[in-house]
Amino acid sequence: MNRAKKLLLAGLPLLCVAFLLQGCSHMPLMDPKGPIGVSERYVILVSVGLMLIVVIPVAIMTILFPLRYRASNKKATYAPKWSHSVWIESIVWLVPAVIVMLLGILVWTTTHRLDPYKPIDAGVKPIQIEAVSLDWKWLFIYPDLHIATVNEIVFPVHTPLSFRLTSASVMTSFFIPQLGSQIYAMGGMQTRLHLMADEPGTYAGQNQQFSGDGFADMHFNAIATSRKEFDAWVQKVRNSPERLDPARYEALEKPTIGSPVLYFSSVKADLFKDILRKYGYSEDMAPDAMQDNSLSPHMHSRTSEEN
């Protein structure tokens, strides 16, 4: 086999990787728009890079070995009594061990650094948002602004978002891929999440946990704007004739599929706490103390398997 063919075969795995990565611009996780998303993309790329240290050589050898040691190739060395190589054994054991060790260090450090309960220090007062998972829509309450929306949140860029999340139905998973960090919402419990957007834009938010017939339509828009545009939007919501009182919430809580965006110019005081109390939430349990009863990042995969 001539040199050109060998180089072509050796480069095939790299060409496949390049082909797969060219679609990254269409993958929300690979196109982050906030500091949390950027950090998570770094973790993904480093993890993939470390694993490719094993995958690429194996892919190359899978092609080259059958070609080199085929029966018709009389130039290949024939060693029927060969049985051991210290050099090969060292590579086979040490390289994977080092990769696993590096991945362990990466996971340990970034899991604590990117803890969703950890506030983002941006020198700006965060916007408080209380997110409630309903069948099959998202209710967002702005407690400091006394307004609420369904299937839409709007916020200024470079301003931290402090979420408190719960569910008025089954367990769901709140996720805005381009901003980062999905986290679960569960009845009678509250989880916390801190995000921020660095660029204006409309980002897709969704429920990642199957929750029934309307699961596929349970998504929302997360819109990052300038402070001026945000203030105008708040005024627009306050001009809405809809009010989220107990009777309106009871109607909103009923299962619907493909719910439109709704604005509420006022919200019943402590509605979020009322929803928690329906499922046994205790008043003496402060939000930060709820961490032991809610899902930390380490428990996400385990809980998904259990459900």
Side-chain angles (χ1 to χ4, degrees), residues 151-155 161 176 179 201-205 220-224:
N151 288 343
E152 181 180 279
I153 52 174
V154 178
F155 47 88
L161 305 176
I176 307 174
L179 300 186
T202 299
Y203 310 120
F220 62 93
N221 285 330
I223 305 173

Side-chain angles (χ1 to χ4, degrees), residues 247-274:
R248 184 66 179 90
Y249 173 75
E250 186 177 347
L252 187 67
E253 197 175 21
K254 294 178 181 178
T256 56
I257 296 177
S259 177
V261 173
L262 300 173
Y263 295 150
F264 299 97
S265 57
S266 64
V267 185
K268 178 188 176 297
D270 293 331
L271 177 60
F272 187 79
K273 289 184 179 179
D274 290 344

